[in-house]
Amino acid sequence: MSPNRQAAVDRSAERAAPPPARAEALRVVNFDMARGQRFGEHEHDVHQLVWAPTGVLAVDIGAHSWVLPPTLALWIPAAVPHTTSASREARMRSVYVQPDRCPVTWAQPTVVAVGPLLRELITHLADPDLESDPRTRAEAVMFDLLRPVGVTTIDLPMPRDGRARRVAEALLAVPADHRPLEDWGREVGASARTLARLFSAETGMSFGRWRTRARLRASLEHMAGNRPLAAVALQVGYSTPSSFIAAFRQETGRTPGAYFAASAP
C-alpha cells in the first residue's frame, strides 16, 4: 500500500522488534496486522525477511513497491528504510538476521519464493524453545533455500508539486477514476497543460502512463488475494479483462497469470 493511502500507522511495534540474540543467526517474530495497518518508514540494524503465511503484505522502499502473497517473501538488507502494510488482515512472520552470521550477501531488496519446506522451517525457527543444535541446523537449511525470483516491481514515483500530488493521491485512492486532465485541473486549480508538464517533469512519465501504473499496482493486491481477474480489471478501471491483460503485459512483460506463476515455488 502506498504511504499516501489511508491506513492506521504504527510507528513503534515492528521497528522495536528484538534483534537476534548473539548465539542465534536469526530470530522470527510474529505480528498480527489489522486491515489497513501500516508500519511507518523505519530501518533495522539487521537484515529482514518479510513474509506473511496468511493475508497479503505490501512493502514500499522509495518509489518501489512489492506485493507479497503467502508464496513470496522480501529480503530487506540492514539499514534500508521501508514501510510495511496490510491491505487485509494478515499475520506477518518477520525473520531478523544478524549480518555477521549471514551467508546471504544481497545488497538490494530481493524477492524470494516461499515453498512448503521454507514455510515449515520459518515456522520451526519461530519456536522459542528450540534448542541450540537443532536451531543451527535449521538456520543453515533456511539460508540454502533462499532463492531469488524474477518479480518486476511497478514503480510509481509521486509528483512533488501540490496540485499534481493531489491528483496522484486521488487516483491511488480510486484507480478506476477516468476523468481527463482538464477535469482534474478544474478541481486542483491548474490547467491540463500544467498538470501534464508536472507529471512528466516530476515522475519521469506522462500522466497517462502514470495512471496506468497506478491501476496496475493496485491490481497486484487484488490478484494476490485471489480475486477473479474480471473483477480486478473492473475494480482498477478496465472495461474488459483483455484490455487489462494487454496493459499489464506491456508494463511487466508478462500476463497477470504468468506474473504470479513466476513467483510460485
Side-chain angles (χ1 to χ4, degrees):
M1 180 181 293
S2 164
N4 301 293
R5 300 187 196 177
Q6 295 297 319
V9 180
D10 187 328
R11 300 191 180 279
S12 59
E14 201 268 324
R15 72 182 66 187
R22 297 306 303 175
E24 304 168 347
L26 60 87
R27 176 171 295 183
V28 182
V29 182
N30 294 321
F31 300 91
D32 290 318
M33 300 183 68
R35 178 185 179 91
Q37 184 176 358
R38 178 165 65 92
F39 295 126
E41 187 174 83
H42 63 285
E43 61 187 69
H44 303 286
D45 294 333
V46 294
H47 303 316
Q48 181 183 15
L49 184 70
V50 177
W51 173 58
T54 61
V56 177
L57 297 178
V59 178
D60 291 307
I61 300 176
H64 304 281
S65 184
W66 290 264
V67 178
L68 305 173
T71 55
L72 291 177
L74 181 67
W75 179 270
I76 304 174
V80 172
H82 59 280
T83 66
T84 306
S85 59
S87 58
R88 53 184 58 83
E89 188 174 298
R91 161 159 282 204
M92 180 170 73
R93 188 158 280 169
S94 190
V95 184
Y96 299 99
V97 184
Q98 292 281 7
D100 60 355
R101 302 282 304 280
C102 179
V104 178
T105 58
W106 300 327
Q108 301 297 325
T110 302
V111 177
V112 300
V114 181
L117 181 53
L118 181 56
R119 167 189 287 265
E120 291 305 317
L121 272 170
I122 294 173
T123 301
H124 180 58
L125 286 163
D127 181 357
D129 298 322
L130 187 61
E131 295 183 356
S132 177
D133 287 348
R135 172 175 291 278
T136 298
R137 291 192 294 269
E139 289 173 348
V141 176
M142 196 207 80
F143 288 132
D144 283 344
L145 291 174
L146 298 183
R147 297 282 188 273
V149 293
V151 174
T152 303
T153 64
I154 299 175
D155 299 338
L156 199 66
M158 293 291 287
R160 298 181 300 278
D161 181 89
R163 296 162 296 177
R165 194 173 186 93
R166 282 174 58 193
V167 176
E169 290 174 349
L171 287 171
L172 288 176
V174 186
D177 195 320
H178 288 279
R179 282 181 287 173
L181 273 179
E182 290 79 6
D183 290 353
W184 285 113
R186 285 190 287 272
E187 182 167 318
V188 302
S191 68
R193 183 175 179 180
T194 295
L195 288 175
R197 176 180 56 79
L198 288 169
F199 268 90
S200 178
E202 297 185 357
T203 71
M205 64 190 79
S206 68
F207 170 74
R209 189 175 184 194
W210 191 97
R211 180 163 58 183
T212 294
R213 285 196 177 188
R215 290 173 173 175
L216 297 181
R217 198 166 82 170
S219 77
L220 293 176
E221 293 184 10
H222 295 301
M223 289 189 293
N226 294 318
R227 291 194 63 193
L229 190 63
V232 172
L234 187 63
Q235 181 76 27
V236 300
Y238 291 91
S239 57
T240 65
S242 60
S243 61
F244 167 66
I245 291 170
F248 197 97
R249 186 201 295 269
Q250 184 171 359
E251 282 295 332
T252 69
R254 295 177 176 150
T255 65
Y259 182 94
F260 281 96
S263 71

